[in-house]
Amino acid sequence: MDKKSNIFFNKKILVYGLGKSGLSAYNFLKKNNNVILYDDFQKKQKNLKSYKFILKKKFDCIIISPGIDISKCRLSKFLKKNLKNVYTDLDVFYSYYKNDCITITGTNGKSTTCQLLYEILSKQRYDVRLVGNIGNPILSIKKINPKTIFVVEASSYQLEYSQIFTSKYAAILNITPDHIERHKTLERYIKAKFKILKNQTKNSLGFIKKNDPLIQKKLKGKKFFCKIIKVSMHKANKIINKLDNEYFRTEANKENLSFVLSISEKLKLKKNLLIKTIKTFKGLKYRQQIIYKKSLITIINDSKSTTFSSSIGILKSNPNIYWLLGGIYKKGDKFNLPRKYLSKIKAFIFGKKRSYFNSQLKGKVYIENFDNLKDAFLKVLQITKKEKFIKKTILFSPSAASFDNFKNFEDRGFYFNK
């Protein structure tokens, strides 16, 4: 790193937002810069300044946390006025390190794909770090050497305000309407996702889902410096029977696997070790997690599901589904499941926003309504206990955000398991 040319060296920097990524940015930058902290919610922290203090100052750079919405935060006018100086922790990382990154974005499947890639590379003896939206801030990583490779889960929130971050390997798994309440329009959401390809160089590889209509529409007539590789489920379907791993039976996880196989091929990984790792992959908690299974009943915790699109794959792949759903719906989200799958589904809708889910499912599947998740689940147990000779699936896949009753999807998933 050339310190003289680094835009984050010997500068006056504002770090806005004191979540995990904000604090890691502060700890990383404070040695070589004058770093000031601000958070909308006052916290006990050294160098934390007041709203009035910030407005009077000029900063060379402003690092904002992914959770900061420029249009709604307290410093909204200040940030819009200084937008050219707004960056993210991804930008800071790239300015200091030029390590190879595999960056995964998309509406659904990011965490699972990143975790699988991380386990595969670890087993192949790479010095690999798993960072980003999956929970480990990229600036918190220590003992980095030139051969360290990073698997980065990047959300649209991070990508939207990143300016200089680029990745040697980047993938857009899929795009369906999501986070419209933050991005305002679907077009702006898609634009944020495509930033990861737009910033790539001619020596980079961009992986995209072959038959995704929104991705294909955005690609039309566009030219990128990177080489674009279109990924289908063909590779996953070829090896799926060899795996003997039930986790990859769903359409969504086959899609995730296809990207992993395509990226692994370009990395020239050892095939035998690759297959061995995939065979034993257990997935992540609360993401299509099988928590109970006997001959005639399977219970699945898919608390991570926050949109209809994230539930579609698992609805297709299981028999006689008792579907528990509800929470805070995503603006613009629509239920689109082919007619042939509808007859096997009974929906048990819970929570205060039941009317929206009823409007989407009415006339398509059997529906019952409940005030809360516990009551809905008890009713499902009551029904399924009577059906002794029928193979059935109890599916907790809320298709909605959790914030009406829970801190986050992990809190909701833990509650369901308990």
Side-chain angles (χ1 to χ4, degrees):
M1 187 266 300
D2 181 0
K3 291 182 179 180
K4 290 182 180 178
S5 63
N6 193 302
I7 60 173
F8 304 107
F9 186 84
N10 199 24
K11 297 293 193 297
K12 188 169 187 178
I13 298 175
L14 170 66
V15 172
Y16 184 12
L18 297 186
K20 285 196 281 186
S21 66
L23 287 174
S24 67
Y26 169 65
N27 289 326
F28 185 89
L29 291 165
K30 66 182 180 180
K31 295 174 187 176
N32 300 312
N33 300 277
N34 176 15
V35 184
I36 301 300
L37 299 176
Y38 181 77
D39 193 276
D40 284 352
F41 307 98
Q42 294 298 311
K43 300 180 180 182
K44 291 182 180 179
Q45 182 70 39
K46 188 179 179 182
N47 285 351
L48 185 67
K49 300 299 182 181
S50 69
Y51 174 74
K52 289 182 179 179
F53 178 91
I54 299 297
L55 296 184
K56 293 176 184 177
K57 299 296 178 182
K58 287 187 177 181
F59 297 94
D60 299 306
C61 306
I62 302 168
I63 312 300
I64 64 171
S65 296
I68 302 295
D69 182 351
I70 283 181
S71 64
K72 291 183 179 179
C73 63
R74 198 170 180 205
L75 292 180
S76 180
K77 289 182 180 178
F78 178 80
L79 291 177
K80 287 176 182 177
K81 186 178 177 181
N82 295 278
L83 200 57
K84 65 179 182 180
N85 295 324
V86 172
Y87 298 90
T88 70
D89 59 343
L90 294 178
D91 295 321
V92 177
F93 170 82
Y94 182 72
S95 74
Y96 278 82
Y97 303 104
K98 295 297 182 282
N99 293 63
D100 286 349
C101 290
I102 305 170
T103 303
I104 308 296
T105 194
T107 305
N108 302 308
K110 297 186 293 296
S111 296
T112 298
T113 304
C114 285
Q115 182 67 35
L116 180 54
L117 275 168
Y118 171 75
E119 291 186 19
I120 286 169
L121 290 167
S122 295
K123 293 288 174 63
Q124 306 245 352
R125 299 194 178 279
Y126 279 78
D127 177 25
V128 58
R129 313 297 170 87
L130 183 60
V131 298
N133 198 50
I134 200 165
N136 308 309
I138 198 165
L139 294 177
S140 67
I141 303 303
K142 311 295 183 187
K143 297 180 180 179
I144 299 168
N145 65 63
K147 290 187 177 180
T148 303
I149 189 167
F150 287 80
V151 175
V152 185
E153 180 184 334
S155 70
S156 58
Y157 295 174
Q158 290 170 299
L159 295 173
E160 183 177 25
Y161 300 129
S162 293
Q163 294 196 50
I164 64 172
F165 175 73
T166 186
S167 185
K168 185 172 182 179
Y169 307 93
I172 304 177
L173 303 180
N174 46 60
I175 295 181
T176 54
D178 199 6
H179 301 306
I180 306 303
E181 69 287 348
R182 165 78 173 255
H183 295 288
K184 309 306 179 191
T185 67
L186 178 59
E187 182 57 35
R188 284 180 63 179
Y189 173 62
I190 296 170
K191 184 180 179 181
K193 292 291 188 188
F194 263 80
K195 213 170 194 182
I196 195 61
L197 300 185
K198 186 180 177 183
N199 287 358
Q200 283 187 295
T201 65
K202 64 179 181 180
N203 296 317
S204 305
L205 297 176
F207 300 81
I208 59 162
K209 183 180 176 181
K210 185 176 182 179
N211 298 317
D212 188 296
L214 290 176
I215 291 176
Q216 294 305 318
K217 185 179 179 182
K218 184 69 178 177
L219 271 181
K220 198 171 183 180
K222 297 283 192 309
K223 289 186 178 180
F224 297 90
F225 291 112
C226 65
K227 180 181 179 182
I228 298 291
I229 296 170
K230 296 183 179 182
V231 178
S232 71
M233 285 198 285
H234 176 68
K235 283 187 173 69
N237 288 330
K238 276 180 72 175
I239 71 160
I240 208 77
N241 292 325
K242 298 177 185 177
L243 296 177
D244 192 28
N245 186 340
E246 193 168 353
Y247 188 76
F248 293 106
R249 297 290 176 187
T250 68
E251 190 174 285
N253 284 329
K254 283 181 185 176
E255 183 178 290
N256 299 336
L257 179 59
S258 293
F259 275 88
V260 168
L261 292 171
S262 292
I263 293 168
S264 298
E265 188 178 284
K266 296 302 178 184
L267 292 172
K268 298 180 180 178
L269 301 183
K270 297 173 184 174
K271 288 185 180 179
N272 289 341
L273 194 53
L274 171 69
I275 298 300
K276 187 177 179 180
T277 308
I278 296 169
K279 277 183 177 181
T280 58
F281 184 67
K282 301 297 183 186
L284 292 162
K285 275 188 174 182
Y286 318 135
R287 295 163 174 86
Q288 302 185 10
Q289 178 189 11
I290 297 172
I291 60 170
Y292 181 87
K293 187 175 178 66
K294 283 199 172 180
S295 57
L296 291 178
I297 188 164
T298 300
I299 303 179
I300 300 172
N301 185 341
D302 190 30
S303 179
K304 185 63 170 69
S305 163
T306 57
T307 60
F308 281 122
S309 64
S310 60
S311 298
I312 292 299
I314 200 162
L315 287 170
K316 288 180 178 179
S317 60
N318 287 277
N320 301 315
I321 296 172
Y322 295 82
W323 181 20
L324 295 152
L325 73 157
I328 300 176
Y329 63 88
K330 295 290 184 76
K331 188 177 179 181
D333 194 22
K334 302 292 181 185
F335 178 69
N336 292 309
L337 185 68
R339 185 182 295 273
K340 65 179 180 178
Y341 298 105
L342 297 176
S343 61
K344 67 174 183 175
I345 297 171
K346 292 181 173 67
F348 298 80
I349 303 169
F350 61 87
K352 295 177 182 178
K353 307 292 183 180
R354 298 191 295 273
S355 60
Y356 176 79
F357 295 97
N358 276 269
S359 69
Q360 289 292 311
L361 300 178
K362 188 177 180 181
K364 297 177 181 178
V365 301
Y366 172 88
I367 295 172
E368 286 194 41
N369 286 277
F370 301 86
D371 290 334
N372 56 64
L373 172 58
K374 185 177 180 180
D375 288 346
F377 184 55
L378 289 174
K379 182 59 183 291
V380 169
L381 287 179
Q382 183 184 340
I383 295 171
T384 53
K385 280 180 181 178
K386 294 177 182 177
E387 297 178 342
K388 295 182 179 179
F389 305 107
I390 301 171
K391 195 170 185 179
K392 47 204 171 285
T393 306
I394 297 175
L395 173 63
F396 176 51
S397 189
S399 303
S402 58
F403 309 124
D404 52 343
N405 287 304
F406 302 95
K407 294 177 187 175
N408 48 46
F409 80 89
E410 290 100 339
D411 183 41
R412 179 169 67 180
F414 178 81
Y415 174 80
F416 182 76
N417 280 2
K418 190 176 178 181

